Amino acid sequence: MKLDGKGVVKAVADQRPVYRVRTGSFDKDASAVLDLWKHGFDVQADAGLRKIKWMYQQNPAGQGVLHLVEDARGSTMGVFCLGQRSFACKRQALRGATMADFVIAREHRSLGPALLLLKGAVAAGNETFDFLYGFPNERAAPVFNRAEYKQVGTIRRYAKLLRTRQYLRKRVWRTMALVLAPLVDVALLAGDGVAYLGARRRYKWRLSDRFDLRFDALWAQRAEEYLISERSSAMLRWRMSPHTDYRVITATARDGGALVGYLVWRSEGTAAQVLDFFSSEPGSVTTQLLRLLNWEARRAGCTSVALEFCGPAAIERALVNAGLQPREGNPVYGIASADAGAAALSNAGITWYLTSYDRDG
């Protein structure tokens, strides 16, 4: 495969198709993008237009970038989007981009167009971003490897059962599940009740659906060694806006009114899904926030609590202390597109901090 100066893949003796990558416009190329999303992700046009407007055009961190791969006739065969995110590391501002909505038309799902698209995104991002990151699935990961993206971590799912009847029915005889579930559930309820009372004694907490200036003060207290995307009040309002039913648990110190941590969650069926959490005292506050969530999720009728996390070991221990157990993981890939990004991604003293907040929504 050979590239000319315009990024065109030149046909060789075996007459393979000719492709080229170009930077697109979410306005002018919306029709082609929506068509690929419909066939690749089963996303309908109205939902796709809402995502374009929210994710790529109204993002406080900046406009998103669209890359398209076309065949020799100019027909769009693939799409790859970059959503801007403002990051911080060691008090330095970094321009990150989450890699999202990567899809190649079914009839062109060979290595060539996918590889060209991924490499073209890095080349075009040199002047805009310090680094790119994303969460490719198992089928896409080999292409990311070939495009010289590196695995920089693993975002892992953590989960806790609040009620066990359905879980036990899948693993033991139904009659046995009917007997065991009430006994196990009473034990879980008692444990969560004791933990809930302990959390209430340690911090002042309240339920809310708003992000105010206190969140900006909390964001300013982030650990310098974290490579973390901005969690200011403005960014939180933007990121959570697609969810009309999210709830916020905040914790403040009993000896003062400063915010020391928050957790955002919503119900998805019978599961309580954590959208984001952050605190100035990562270990103790995180554990207490999750213990409060366990109780609130019970009151909401949820049968389980789940979240995603990639980050410091101290916070992983805090999740386990709150009763959540590690489950399957998804690799996180990254690639530097500027010197500042290369320095951050290669620094052994830097720790990623990622939750569901850092996905593309």
Side-chain angles (χ1 to χ4, degrees), residues 20-22 67-69 77-80 102-104 111-122 149:
R20 73 185 184 98
V21 170
R22 70 175 176 88
H67 297 288
L68 305 170
V69 62
M77 297 293 108
V79 59
F80 187 43
F102 176 43
V103 60
I104 301 292
L111 178 62
L115 191 59
L116 183 63
L117 194 51
L118 289 177
K119 287 188 173 182
V122 176
Y149 291 69

Side-chain angles (χ1 to χ4, degrees), residues 195-208:
Y196 167 77
L197 293 174
R200 291 205 58 164
R201 286 195 296 268
R202 297 190 63 177
Y203 300 97
K204 295 179 181 178
W205 67 279
R206 65 189 293 263
L207 304 179
S208 176

Side-chain angles (χ1 to χ4, degrees), residues 173-206:
W173 292 334
R174 181 173 180 177
T175 303
M176 187 178 296
L178 292 174
V179 174
L180 289 177
L183 299 176
V184 176
D185 288 354
V186 167
L188 290 175
L189 175 64
D192 286 345
V194 171
Y196 167 77
L197 293 174
R200 291 205 58 164
R201 286 195 296 268
R202 297 190 63 177
Y203 300 97
K204 295 179 181 178
W205 67 279
R206 65 189 293 263

Side-chain angles (χ1 to χ4, degrees), residues 122-170:
V122 176
N126 283 341
E127 296 180 0
T128 308
F129 307 112
D130 292 311
F131 65 91
L132 315 181
Y133 74 97
F135 311 88
N137 57 34
E138 291 182 357
R139 291 180 298 175
V143 185
F144 278 75
N145 287 325
R146 286 288 298 272
E148 299 181 0
Y149 291 69
K150 304 297 183 183
Q151 184 174 347
V152 295
T154 299
I155 188 167
R156 193 167 300 281
R157 179 174 173 269
Y158 289 77
K160 171 183 168 63
L161 283 174
L162 303 178
R163 295 179 176 85
T164 61
R165 182 173 178 177
Q166 294 299 321
Y167 176 84
L168 291 174
R169 284 183 65 178
K170 296 178 182 178

